[in-house]
Amino acid sequence: MAHALVIPPLVKSVGASGQISLGKEYAGRQVLVEMPAEGVWIIKTARIVPDNEAWLEKPLMKQRVARAIEWASQNAPEPSDPDNLVTRKPDVKRKARSA
């Protein structure tokens, strides 16, 4: 069973602008502030993931990204000439858009 690290409480003062300094080690971090009761604050560091990036947190996507990073680390980029790229003909004909 893991033991929790116990750190004694710190006394902090709320400044005139309503801010509390948690220390430079937390600079730039996002936190969740919970207020379960009047005068009780629970502050937790957090990672906020935008909705349009949440798909990257799914296990299958994490595996695919890890494989891609592994492949990229073992395969150096090579120079290419955009004029000599192979183009594929589309499999499906699409309607032309009207203006």
Side-chain angles (χ1 to χ4, degrees):
M1 182 164 127
H3 296 283
L5 178 62
V6 178
I7 299 174
L10 299 172
V11 175
K12 299 280 185 170
S13 295
V14 179
S17 64
Q19 295 180 340
I20 300 172
S21 174
L22 300 176
K24 289 188 178 187
E25 66 268 25
Y26 299 106
R29 294 284 311 265
Q30 292 181 318
V31 296
L32 294 174
V33 179
E34 299 174 9
M35 297 185 337
E38 182 68 31
V40 177
W41 299 337
I42 299 172
I43 301 173
K44 300 176 185 178
T45 56
R47 282 187 332 134
I48 308 301
V49 178
D51 287 343
N52 68 338
E53 296 175 14
W55 62 274
L56 285 167
E57 296 295 317
K58 294 182 180 176
L60 178 60
M61 290 300 120
K62 284 185 174 186
Q63 289 174 356
R64 288 180 175 178
V65 169
R67 277 199 326 254
I69 291 170
E70 175 71 20
W71 182 91
S73 71
Q74 295 176 2
N75 295 277
E78 298 176 3
S80 63
D81 180 0
D83 293 330
N84 290 331
L85 292 177
V86 177
T87 58
R88 289 183 357 170
K89 292 183 180 179
D91 296 335
V92 178
K93 293 190 179 204
R94 301 189 188 268
K95 293 182 192 176
R97 289 188 179 184
S98 58

